[in-house]
Amino acid sequence: MKTICIPFFLLILITSSKTLAQNNGSASAKAKKASPTEVYNNPIIKDKYTADPAALVYKDKVYLYTGHDVPEKDFNFYRMNDWLVYSSSDMIHWQEHPVPLKVTDFSWAKGDAWASQVIEKNGKFYWYVAVEHGTVPGKAIGIAVSDSPTGPFKDALGKALITNDMTTKTKISWDDIDPSVIIDDDGQAYLFWGNTVCNYVKLKPNMLEIDGPIQTIDLPNFTEAPWIHKHKGYYYLSYAYQFPEKIAYAMSKSINGPWEYKGILNEIAGNSNTNHQAIIDFKGKSYFIYHNGSIPTEGGSFRRSVCIDRLYYNNDGSIKRVIMTSEGITE
Ligand code: FUB
């Protein structure tokens, strides 16, 4: 048997460097435990209550349009008077722009700056909003227009595009809410909206008039908040499911269906009955934008806050369930 002789000085060196490595390992483990990196990017806006997010990718930025829950705590309803806009180049840092649109900008409306969405066409920005109509009882959808994604916006029509008397499948007065708009690859624009019934209609090229009959889509447990988007050849119709709301989605190869129901996408969002999602692709990543009631200590169903987490597609085009986090987007 051959013996290997290790010189004494080498033995000392090996032993001491091993001890150093071990010590270093436990020291850094201890350091990690003692001071974990705490990043809380959700909710993304912490100085105001924001709700009903709708995001627009335009050039190299994302513009985020939100509703604005008033901070008072003496009532239990969605009291909202204006909308807000923020922009970001990285989905982490958000810049607020001056309040670009209020209910009072629509002379025919009397309150409730509810959910909305902005879309761009030929350098003009069309903002579809839900409000309470002043003379036709119930909610209605109006349109504001601007030459810039951050406004100033003005009422484009001087009247509503959709009023409660135009949809008769439900008797409720708040079924004409939550507009979502898409311009398909062939240039045809569509408006989706609804509460308890999901409606959609073609829009004329001017984006200001409907073009044809209002149609409805059967979706399991449809509550409200339809969001229409397209990704790699599939159309996706996500929506608030049941109440308190989860978010579910359906997929189709055609904007006119048939829609295949694909299940729950997001669970009930913390401390909020509503959930209201927007889904976008930006700089090669996909994002799920929603609201919860997580601002301590007064946040809740009527004082909501917008959050963002990553969204991931499977190879077959279906979407993985969203994991809501406090960290939010960190890179
Ligand atoms: O913000 C008012 C209403 O609450 C919205 O229209 C719904 O989508 C829900 O988020």
Side-chain angles (χ1 to χ4, degrees):
M1 192 166 115
K2 235 181 173 185
T3 1
I4 303 169
C5 280
I6 302 178
F8 182 66
F9 75 92
L10 201 57
L11 198 63
I12 296 281
L13 204 68
I14 290 168
T15 321
S16 61
S17 62
K18 201 173 164 201
T19 317
L20 207 65
Q22 276 166 350
N23 282 345
N24 268 349
S26 66
S28 69
K30 262 187 207 145
K32 261 186 204 152
K33 237 184 172 173
S35 58
T37 314
E38 293 185 355
V39 179
Y40 296 118
N41 284 337
N42 277 336
I44 60 164
I45 313 295
K46 297 177 174 68
D47 63 338
K48 280 180 184 163
Y49 293 115
T50 53
D52 301 332
L56 167 73
V57 176
Y58 180 66
K59 297 196 170 160
D60 59 349
K61 280 191 173 180
V62 173
Y63 293 88
L64 178 69
Y65 302 86
T66 77
H68 181 197
D69 287 335
V70 299
E72 290 80 22
K73 296 170 277 171
D74 57 344
F75 61 90
N76 287 324
F77 195 58
Y78 306 101
R79 191 176 295 174
M80 306 162 87
N81 301 319
D82 52 19
W83 294 269
L84 306 172
V85 62
Y86 299 84
S87 66
S88 175
S89 304
D90 59 9
M91 300 299 284
I92 301 172
H93 303 94
W94 292 92
Q95 183 197 345
E96 183 173 0
H97 300 275
V99 174
L101 193 63
K102 310 178 284 307
V103 171
T104 50
D105 293 328
F106 298 96
S107 59
W108 49 269
K110 71 172 184 193
D112 295 347
W114 283 14
S116 71
Q117 187 180 347
V118 175
I119 196 159
E120 183 269 342
K121 182 175 179 186
N122 298 334
K124 287 209 179 293
F125 298 82
Y126 298 89
W127 197 340
Y128 295 78
V129 301
V131 288
E132 183 72 19
H133 202 286
T135 53
V136 183
K139 289 282 180 289
I141 294 175
I143 313 168
V145 66
S146 174
D147 294 328
S148 152
T150 55
F153 283 85
K154 64 173 197 310
D155 185 359
L157 284 173
K159 60 178 184 174
L161 173 72
I162 304 288
T163 47
N164 185 39
D165 50 359
M166 293 165 70
T167 52
T168 49
K169 277 210 165 180
T170 77
K171 294 269 175 283
I172 60 177
S173 65
W174 60 93
D175 60 336
D176 294 294
I177 60 169
D178 296 356
S180 180
V181 200
I182 189 171
I183 301 177
D184 208 349
D185 300 335
D186 61 2
Q188 177 64 58
Y190 298 83
L191 172 69
F192 289 68
W193 77 100
N195 178 293
T196 62
V197 170
C198 183
N199 307 288
Y200 80 109
V201 71
K202 278 184 182 174
L203 294 174
K204 288 193 177 166
N206 65 11
M207 303 296 282
L208 303 177
E209 293 169 86
I210 65 171
D211 193 3
I214 294 174
Q215 308 194 63
T216 59
I217 305 168
D218 267 340
L219 295 163
N221 288 309
F222 176 82
T223 302
E224 57 186 6
W227 177 267
I228 180 77
H229 79 277
K230 198 172 182 184
H231 177 88
K232 295 194 176 163
Y234 279 106
Y235 297 87
Y236 295 84
L237 186 50
S238 52
Y239 61 95
Y241 174 104
Q242 297 175 331
F243 194 85
E245 296 173 349
K246 302 177 175 93
I247 301 299
Y249 78 105
M251 276 171 78
S252 179
K253 270 286 178 191
S254 157
I255 191 116
N256 293 305
W259 292 94
E260 186 187 350
Y261 175 68
K262 300 298 285 184
I264 302 299
L265 183 54
N266 193 34
E267 297 296 338
I268 294 172
N271 207 24
S272 170
N273 283 335
T274 60
N275 199 316
H276 204 115
Q277 79 299 351
I279 295 173
I280 55 164
D281 294 332
F282 180 59
K283 296 185 177 170
K285 294 176 181 169
S286 301
Y287 297 92
F288 186 82
I289 312 173
Y290 59 103
H291 65 224
N292 63 18
S294 68
I295 285 193
T297 58
E298 308 297 351
S301 287
F302 305 106
R303 285 170 298 283
R304 299 163 291 179
S305 296
V306 170
C307 299
I308 308 179
D309 280 297
R310 288 292 305 280
L311 180 109
Y312 297 97
Y313 292 88
N314 295 309
N315 289 339
D316 65 359
S318 59
I319 312 178
K320 292 186 199 298
R321 206 173 274 224
V322 170
I323 299 174
M324 292 180 278
T325 68
S326 305
E327 293 83 353
I329 305 303
T330 54
E331 55 180 8

